[in-house]
């Protein structure tokens, strides 16, 4: 039986507001409703005018305008990687399509407008389980040993009171070799597991997102609302002082 940990959520569930991806999709839907189809470059990317608008509207943790413009004078789609992911997801799930130099919602995609619960049910399992999360990496490393059943159930226990990426690396794979300047396992763990969970809104970075493996991660209310896992009974209670 395929691993399916997601529960159905009503569109009005407040935990859905914790998902940057669902918020970004919702803003994209609103833009198209108000301004019409999104213009595309000759290569098929979103034009800069929409990318700049999205950077402001999405308010994506770690990818806010001040973060993006700190390294780019102008923003193209690939400079705002979460937007590029959303673009790919909408095409793959046939929520939208390219037509005569524009991006438009399909009739199927329009059925999700105003329905964030249904949208999450469609996007979440596809994004976690079917997307190759290191396909944009410049460093092609070996894929992590393990699967989402293992990753989610371990994080379910270890992140109950917050955890670092370094701690998760040790729990799953043991400590890194002494003297390493760069730990590829920790880097892949962040890229292939922790970042997708944050972008989907199941985890969040505590404090500043330093884009490193030593960030501290905590579950959001969406984790508890949307997931049913084998280790639910093994979670340790959080002691508050």
């Amino acid at each position: 039986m395929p691993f399916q940990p997601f529960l159905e959520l009503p569109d009005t569930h407040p935990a859905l507001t914790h998902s940057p991806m669902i918020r970004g999709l919702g803003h994209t839907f609103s833009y198209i409703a108000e301004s019409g189809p999104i213009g595309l470059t000759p290569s098929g990317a979103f034009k800069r005018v929409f990318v700049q608008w999205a950077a402001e509207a999405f308010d994506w943790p770690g990818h806010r305008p001040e973060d993006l413009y700190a390294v780019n004078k102008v923003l193209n789609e690939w400079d705002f990687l979460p937007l590029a992911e959303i673009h790919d997801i909408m095409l793959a799930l046939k929520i939208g399509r390219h037509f005569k130099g524009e991006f438009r919602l399909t009739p199927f995609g329009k059925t999700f407008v105003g329905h964030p619960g249904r949208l999450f049910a469609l996007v979440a399992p596809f994004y976690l389980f079917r997307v190759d999360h290191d396909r944009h990496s410049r460093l092609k490393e070996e894929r992590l040993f393990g699967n989402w059943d293992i990753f989610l159930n371990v994080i379910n226990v270890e992140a109950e009171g917050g955890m670092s990426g370094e701690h998760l690396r040790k729990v799953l794979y043991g400590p890194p070799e002494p003297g390493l300047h760069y730990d590829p396992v920790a880097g892949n763990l962040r890229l292939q597991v922790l970042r997708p969970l944050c972008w989907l809104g199941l985890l969040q970075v505590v404090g500043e997102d330093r884009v490193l493996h030593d960030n501290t991660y905590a579950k959001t209310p969406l984790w508890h609302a949307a997931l049913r896992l084998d280790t639910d009974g093994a979670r340790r209670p959080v002691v508050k002082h």
Side-chain angles (χ1 to χ4, degrees), residues 3-238:
F3 178 57
Q4 176 49 269
F6 287 102
L7 302 172
E8 291 186 10
L9 296 177
D11 293 324
T12 56
H13 200 294
L16 290 164
T17 61
H18 290 270
S19 174
M21 186 163 290
I22 297 305
R23 291 199 310 268
L25 284 162
H27 284 305
T28 302
F29 294 167
S30 297
Y31 181 96
I32 293 172
E34 295 171 7
S35 303
I38 301 169
L40 298 171
T41 67
S43 65
F46 289 140
K47 285 189 174 180
R48 286 177 182 171
V49 63
F50 176 72
V51 178
Q52 293 165 357
W53 177 89
E56 295 281 350
F58 286 12
D59 192 32
W60 199 290
H63 295 79
R64 294 187 171 94
E66 59 269 25
D67 305 309
L68 299 172
Y69 285 112
V71 293
N72 302 285
K73 292 183 179 180
V74 295
L75 294 182
N76 297 304
E77 180 178 312
W78 288 107
D79 299 320
F80 186 13
L81 188 54
L83 178 61
E85 290 282 83
I86 283 177
H87 191 172
D88 288 347
I89 288 168
M90 288 192 292
L91 291 175
L93 291 175
K94 303 188 185 306
I95 292 172
R97 67 186 182 112
H98 293 179
F99 181 73
K100 294 185 177 180
E102 296 177 328
F103 178 88
R104 303 169 179 242
L105 293 184
T106 63
F108 174 68
K110 291 177 182 178
T111 66
F112 293 92
V113 175
H115 296 284
R118 290 182 55 226
L119 186 62
F120 184 82
L122 175 71
V123 169
F126 173 81
Y127 182 59
L128 280 195
F129 305 151
R130 295 179 58 189
V131 168
D132 179 5
H133 296 292
D134 69 347
R135 69 193 188 282
H136 301 312
S137 174
R138 294 171 183 168
L139 299 174
K140 289 302 178 183
E141 318 260 5
E142 291 185 6
R143 294 196 63 81
L144 291 170
F145 178 76
N147 55 47
W148 279 107
D149 191 348
I150 294 171
F151 298 145
L152 290 175
N153 273 289
V154 170
I155 293 171
N156 193 37
V157 175
E158 299 300 328
E160 188 66 12
M163 67 171 190
S164 67
E166 182 180 6
H167 173 76
L168 183 62
R169 190 259 195 258
K170 291 178 181 178
V171 170
L172 287 169
Y173 306 107
E177 295 180 15
L180 282 180
H181 294 291
Y182 170 72
D183 179 8
V185 174
N188 280 346
L189 190 61
R190 180 192 173 273
L191 186 68
Q192 298 175 25
V193 177
L194 293 169
R195 188 174 75 177
L197 290 172
C198 288
W199 286 10
L200 199 55
L202 297 167
L203 293 180
Q204 61 186 351
V205 174
V206 179
E208 182 182 0
D209 188 344
R210 297 184 297 278
V211 197
L212 295 169
H213 66 273
D214 60 348
N215 282 333
T216 297
Y217 298 86
K219 300 177 190 176
T220 70
L222 186 57
W223 180 289
H224 297 286
L227 293 173
R228 177 180 293 151
L229 297 162
D230 292 339
T231 53
D232 283 345
R235 292 186 308 210
R236 296 184 292 267
V238 178

